[in-house]
Amino acid sequence: QVQLVESGGGLVQPGGSLRLSCAASGSSFSINAMGWYRQAPGKQRELVARITSRGTVNYADSVKGRFTISRDNAKKTVYLQMNSLKPEDTAVYSCNANILPSGRIIPLDYWGQGTQVTVSS
């Protein structure tokens, strides 16, 4: 089994910053991609940022220039640096990893339990 452990959420004022971390634990797997999604009340879950094993990144238009995704392959950890936060960034942020377990030929998606980010004065 693979588990994703998230940290870094919390309450921050508009214009502030937070850094989210997501570490994949377990054994005998490789990671194809990791990313962050968010879901605000009454809205659909949306992709925030994603990074592949080759370093290709994707960002939602709403966060470009403000958020930066990065990874530490040795730690199997992905980070999301969030700057210039706005109230509309308030949501539950969930880590996603597309993982190929050892012995499998079809990758699987794993999800963290989510961490609350609230941007408010």
Side-chain angles (χ1 to χ4, degrees):
Q1 284 281 325
V2 177
Q3 295 183 0
L4 303 179
V5 180
E6 303 151 320
S7 63
L11 174 65
V12 66
Q13 293 185 339
S17 298
L18 287 173
R19 189 181 77 153
L20 305 182
S21 299
C22 175
S25 63
S27 62
S28 301
F29 64 88
S30 60
I31 301 174
N32 296 324
M34 296 185 73
W36 291 93
Y37 293 73
R38 68 185 182 187
Q39 187 169 25
K43 300 184 68 176
Q44 296 289 332
R45 177 183 288 172
E46 65 172 344
L47 173 69
V48 178
R50 183 175 183 266
I51 184 167
T52 73
S53 62
R54 300 187 68 177
T56 302
V57 299
N58 295 102
Y59 294 100
D61 288 340
S62 60
V63 308
K64 287 180 179 178
R66 299 188 297 121
F67 292 8
T68 303
I69 190 169
S70 61
R71 69 177 190 268
D72 185 328
N73 290 335
K75 297 180 178 179
K76 295 183 178 179
T77 299
V78 65
Y79 306 94
L80 185 67
Q81 179 66 45
M82 305 185 293
N83 298 326
S84 302
L85 283 162
K86 304 174 180 179
E88 50 263 45
D89 294 318
T90 296
V92 174
Y93 286 69
S94 299
C95 179
N96 169 265
N98 187 253
I99 290 174
L100 183 63
S102 180
R104 285 181 171 266
I105 60 174
I106 301 176
L108 301 172
D109 276 311
Y110 289 82
W111 292 89
Q113 65 183 33
T115 184
Q116 178 70 46
V117 172
T118 302
V119 184
S120 177
S121 59

